[in-house]
CSV table of all heavy atoms in Angstrom, one decimal:
chain,number,residue,atom,x,y,z
Z,75,GLU,N,13.1,4.7,21.9
Z,75,GLU,CA,13.3,4.9,23.3
Z,75,GLU,C,12.1,4.3,24.0
Z,75,GLU,O,11.0,4.6,23.7
Z,75,GLU,CB,13.5,6.3,23.7
Z,75,GLU,CG,14.8,6.9,23.1
Z,75,GLU,CD,15.0,8.4,23.6
Z,75,GLU,OE1,14.0,9.1,23.9
Z,75,GLU,OE2,16.1,8.8,23.7
Z,76,ARG,N,12.4,3.5,25.1
Z,76,ARG,CA,11.3,2.9,25.9
Z,76,ARG,C,11.6,3.2,27.3
Z,76,ARG,O,12.7,3.1,27.8
Z,76,ARG,CB,11.3,1.4,25.7
Z,76,ARG,CG,10.3,0.9,24.7
Z,76,ARG,CD,10.1,-0.6,24.8
Z,76,ARG,NE,8.7,-0.8,24.5
Z,76,ARG,CZ,8.2,-1.9,24.0
Z,76,ARG,NH1,9.1,-2.9,23.8
Z,76,ARG,NH2,6.9,-2.1,23.8
Z,77,SER,N,10.5,3.5,28.0
Z,77,SER,CA,10.6,3.8,29.4
Z,77,SER,C,9.3,3.4,30.1
Z,77,SER,O,8.3,4.0,29.9
Z,77,SER,CB,10.9,5.3,29.7
Z,77,SER,OG,10.8,5.5,31.1
Z,78,GLY,N,9.3,2.2,30.7
Z,78,GLY,CA,8.0,1.7,31.3
Z,78,GLY,C,7.0,1.4,30.2
Z,78,GLY,O,7.3,0.7,29.2
Z,79,ARG,N,5.9,2.1,30.3
Z,79,ARG,CA,4.8,1.9,29.3
Z,79,ARG,C,4.9,3.0,28.2
Z,79,ARG,O,4.1,2.9,27.2
Z,79,ARG,CB,3.4,2.1,30.0
Z,79,ARG,CG,3.2,0.9,30.9
Z,79,ARG,CD,1.8,1.0,31.5
Z,79,ARG,NE,0.8,1.1,30.5
Z,79,ARG,CZ,-0.1,0.1,30.2
Z,79,ARG,NH1,0.0,-1.0,30.9
Z,79,ARG,NH2,-1.0,0.3,29.3
Z,80,SER,N,5.8,3.9,28.3
Z,80,SER,CA,6.0,4.9,27.2
Z,80,SER,C,6.9,4.4,26.1
Z,80,SER,O,8.0,3.8,26.5
Z,80,SER,CB,6.5,6.2,27.8
Z,80,SER,OG,5.6,6.8,28.6
Z,81,VAL,N,6.6,4.6,24.9
Z,81,VAL,CA,7.4,4.2,23.8
Z,81,VAL,C,7.6,5.5,23.0
Z,81,VAL,O,6.7,6.3,22.7
Z,81,VAL,CB,6.7,3.2,22.9
Z,81,VAL,CG1,7.6,2.8,21.7
Z,81,VAL,CG2,6.3,2.0,23.7
Z,82,GLY,N,8.8,5.8,22.7
Z,82,GLY,CA,9.1,7.0,21.9
Z,82,GLY,C,10.3,6.9,21.0
Z,82,GLY,O,10.8,5.7,20.8
Z,83,TYR,N,10.7,8.0,20.4
Z,83,TYR,CA,11.8,7.9,19.5
Z,83,TYR,C,12.5,9.2,19.5
Z,83,TYR,O,12.0,10.3,19.9
Z,83,TYR,CB,11.4,7.5,18.1
Z,83,TYR,CG,10.4,8.4,17.5
Z,83,TYR,CD1,10.7,9.5,16.8
Z,83,TYR,CD2,9.0,8.1,17.7
Z,83,TYR,CE1,9.7,10.4,16.3
Z,83,TYR,CE2,8.0,8.9,17.1
Z,83,TYR,CZ,8.4,10.0,16.5
Z,83,TYR,OH,7.5,10.9,15.9
Z,84,LEU,N,13.8,9.2,19.0
Z,84,LEU,CA,14.6,10.4,18.9
Z,84,LEU,C,15.0,10.5,17.4
Z,84,LEU,O,15.5,9.5,16.9
Z,84,LEU,CB,15.8,10.3,19.8
Z,84,LEU,CG,16.7,11.5,19.8
Z,84,LEU,CD1,16.1,12.7,20.5
Z,84,LEU,CD2,18.0,11.1,20.6
Z,85,VAL,N,14.8,11.6,16.8
Z,85,VAL,CA,15.3,11.8,15.4
Z,85,VAL,C,16.2,13.0,15.4
Z,85,VAL,O,15.9,14.0,16.0
Z,85,VAL,CB,14.1,12.1,14.4
Z,85,VAL,CG1,14.6,12.4,13.0
Z,85,VAL,CG2,13.1,11.0,14.5
Z,86,GLY,N,17.4,12.9,14.8
Z,86,GLY,CA,18.3,14.0,14.8
Z,86,GLY,C,19.5,13.8,13.9
Z,86,GLY,O,19.6,12.8,13.1
Z,87,THR,N,20.5,14.7,14.0
Z,87,THR,CA,21.7,14.6,13.2
Z,87,THR,C,22.8,15.1,14.0
Z,87,THR,O,22.7,15.9,15.0
Z,87,THR,CB,21.5,15.5,12.0
Z,87,THR,OG1,22.7,15.6,11.3
Z,87,THR,CG2,21.0,16.9,12.3
Side-chain angles (χ1 to χ4, degrees):
E75 293 184 332
R76 262 194 144 152
S77 174
R79 293 182 57 107
S80 293
V81 181
Y83 56 88
L84 181 71
V85 178
T87 174

